[in-house]
Amino acid sequence: MLKIRAAQLEALSQAALRQFVERGVEHLERVLPERCRELGREEVRQTVERAMEKAGRYGLTQEYDVLRLLNCMCVLGFDFDTDARYPWAAEILNRPRMKSGTKMDFLTRRAELVTTEA
């Protein structure tokens, strides 16, 4: 029987997180290349990590939803979720009974409206 020790689980977890960060960086470089050049690779990596932290706080559980949150952060501002210009963002993200994908559907639709009006 295979036994996995706590330290091994932690190592696997850390490896999975690093892989997600890398996928997030690649995603941003693909969809927002100019913004990534402005920020530089290390700041892009930190932005992905920040998005992961925010996603956990808001109950976003799917990778796709975290990537959509990341897109919003890069377009509206890294702290758009607490920005007084976008009170609807916190209202959507803080709905406890709303599923992850539904939150991000609402949020991205609203963000698209804001960016097309600008």
Side-chain angles (χ1 to χ4, degrees):
M1 183 163 100
L2 177 65
K3 284 189 177 183
I4 298 177
R5 301 191 193 299
Q8 293 168 311
L9 283 175
E10 178 64 23
L12 289 171
S13 177
Q14 291 302 316
L17 289 174
R18 283 191 303 274
Q19 289 172 352
F20 178 79
V21 169
E22 196 55 40
R23 286 192 306 276
V25 169
E26 291 169 1
H27 165 77
L28 279 184
E29 288 175 339
R30 190 173 48 257
V31 299
L32 296 167
E34 299 84 23
R35 184 73 167 126
C36 289
R37 279 193 290 280
E38 290 170 12
L39 295 173
R41 190 159 178 92
E42 185 53 35
E43 192 166 346
V44 170
R45 183 181 283 11
Q46 290 171 1
T47 301
V48 173
E49 291 170 351
R50 200 165 166 192
M52 292 169 58
E53 177 187 312
K54 286 179 184 263
R57 215 175 320 139
Y58 294 125
L60 304 178
T61 56
Q62 302 300 310
E63 181 171 322
Y64 179 61
D65 297 331
V66 178
L67 294 176
R68 293 195 291 172
L69 179 68
L70 184 59
N71 291 347
C72 289
M73 288 172 61
C74 288
V75 173
L76 299 175
F78 297 144
D79 292 314
F80 80 96
D81 55 321
T82 57
D83 191 319
R85 293 176 296 169
Y86 312 118
W88 46 266
E91 190 269 319
I92 292 168
L93 289 166
N94 285 307
R95 291 183 181 172
R97 289 185 284 254
M98 187 178 282
K99 292 183 180 182
S100 179
T102 306
K103 284 182 185 184
M104 289 312 303
D105 288 345
F106 280 114
L107 192 73
T108 53
R109 281 190 203 117
R110 188 67 190 263
E112 287 170 356
L113 289 173
V114 169
T115 58
T116 57
E117 291 172 358

